[in-house]
Amino acid sequence: MNNLQEDAKSIFKRIKKNITEGSLYKDIENKYNYQNVRDYGSIKNMIISCLAMTGNSDNILPSMFNQKSYLDDIVWQENVLASLSIIQNQLPLYWLEKEWLKMILKTDLPSVIDEIKMPFKEAILILPENLIISPDGFPVEFIYFKHFLAGEKGKDILIDSNFTRNYVTLKNPPKLSETITWSTTMYGLGYMENLNVKAGKIIRGGFDFYNFPDTYDPKTFNQSEEKAFMVKISDLIIKTILFLQIYPQI
């Protein structure tokens, strides 16, 4: 385990203790009251990751987030919106079968995609343990994704500052095309990508990641490894959607 992993896990351990002792965590845990699936990502860890991203809030973020470094970070914004959606709603969860997932990861995307039909507005994929590992050595346990219609954008984020509740408008403009947005967090490190859908074709957006613990320094990350990692997740999302179009009974 490298220093970054040790520092991140140490920070997250302190956050986790505070979160799991609160009533909000218990309420969300009761809502997602699924039986644990052996050798798969933990629902409890997903809930803790989401609450860590929102400052242990289900609606109004603490004033600590009312800083330019947060508000100008689209990756932070998208991960907060995803976390709030998971916290506030009861989204469908899909456990991807391990052998199928291995096959899908090795399968190339088709050169031409005639049409994308979304089977749901938003959902969460639960992955087998330690199957997809980030360049920093963290396992991906869950992936959230949402389908935006053309012109639709994310909701404003509500932040409490000096006892005044301010709506902070997201910097990204309304999307001019249909978009599939995915995001995931691992020990405070968030990833996201926007995939635009135009005339049945997938147009990749810019990839990026967000450093939550102070110990993360994205400038030191291997950019090619990070990009390859994010392409793998984006391809997985697209392949899963295409597979469900062909085999909706699955």
Side-chain angles (χ1 to χ4, degrees):
M1 184 181 295
N2 58 38
N3 291 336
L4 184 147
Q5 289 176 306
E6 291 178 353
D7 291 343
K9 289 188 175 182
S10 177
I11 293 170
F12 202 76
K13 185 177 181 179
R14 296 197 300 270
I15 295 172
K16 178 179 179 179
K17 185 177 186 299
N18 181 55
I19 288 173
T20 53
E21 290 176 350
S23 59
L24 178 56
Y25 167 80
K26 293 178 175 63
D27 289 343
I28 302 170
E29 187 181 30
N30 289 333
K31 181 169 62 178
Y32 288 101
N33 188 25
Y34 296 100
Q35 184 176 358
N36 283 331
V37 180
R38 184 178 178 182
D39 298 328
Y40 275 77
S42 165
I43 304 301
K44 291 182 180 181
N45 286 348
M46 178 191 76
I47 297 170
I48 293 168
S49 294
C50 291
L51 288 174
M53 190 58 63
T54 67
N56 203 17
S57 171
D58 63 345
N59 186 15
I60 304 171
L61 274 61
S63 57
M64 59 181 277
F65 291 113
N66 205 359
Q67 303 172 25
K68 191 175 187 300
S69 59
Y70 290 105
L71 303 180
D72 289 346
D73 193 323
I74 183 62
V75 184
W76 174 81
Q77 294 169 353
E78 293 286 6
N79 273 279
V80 167
L81 287 177
S83 297
L84 286 172
S85 187
I86 292 171
I87 292 167
Q88 295 170 355
N89 306 306
Q90 187 171 4
L91 303 182
L93 274 63
Y94 294 87
W95 284 259
L96 297 186
E97 202 277 327
K98 188 172 184 178
E99 295 306 316
W100 175 87
L101 182 53
K102 287 181 178 179
M103 176 190 71
I104 284 293
L105 289 172
K106 294 178 181 178
T107 304
D108 294 332
L109 279 172
S111 57
V112 177
I113 300 174
D114 293 330
E115 187 177 9
I116 294 289
K117 296 179 181 178
M118 292 297 295
F120 23 64
K121 181 69 175 176
E122 55 186 334
I124 304 165
L125 304 181
I126 307 297
L127 305 186
E129 288 180 341
N130 300 316
L131 186 62
I132 299 180
I133 306 294
S134 79
D136 312 297
F138 298 126
V140 181
E141 294 193 290
F142 74 98
I143 305 171
Y144 165 91
F145 68 96
K146 182 171 183 177
H147 175 223
F148 288 92
L149 297 173
E152 183 182 4
K153 73 179 185 71
K155 296 179 181 179
D156 291 345
I157 295 176
L158 190 60
I159 298 178
D160 185 275
S161 177
N162 297 323
F163 305 102
T164 301
R165 296 172 181 177
N166 298 326
Y167 279 102
V168 181
T169 303
L170 297 180
K171 302 298 182 182
N172 57 317
K175 300 172 176 64
L176 301 178
S177 62
E178 288 186 71
T179 306
I180 300 168
T181 296
W182 67 261
S183 61
T184 187
T185 61
M186 294 152 283
Y187 294 97
L189 179 62
Y191 290 83
M192 61 79 61
E193 185 172 12
N194 288 323
L195 302 168
N196 295 321
V197 184
K198 291 185 178 180
K201 295 183 178 180
I202 299 292
I203 302 173
R204 298 180 186 276
F207 78 96
D208 210 342
F209 41 88
Y210 158 76
N211 55 314
F212 179 60
D214 293 336
T215 50
Y216 287 129
D217 183 6
K219 294 178 182 178
T220 66
F221 292 178
N222 186 313
Q223 296 292 316
S224 61
E225 289 183 4
E226 297 286 347
K227 184 172 183 178
F229 167 70
M230 297 192 67
V231 167
K232 176 186 286 189
I233 295 183
S234 294
D235 286 358
L236 171 61
I237 296 292
I238 299 168
K239 292 172 190 176
T240 301
I241 292 170
L242 293 175
F243 185 86
L244 288 173
Q245 287 181 198
I246 300 171
Y247 303 105
Q249 70 275 15
I250 299 298

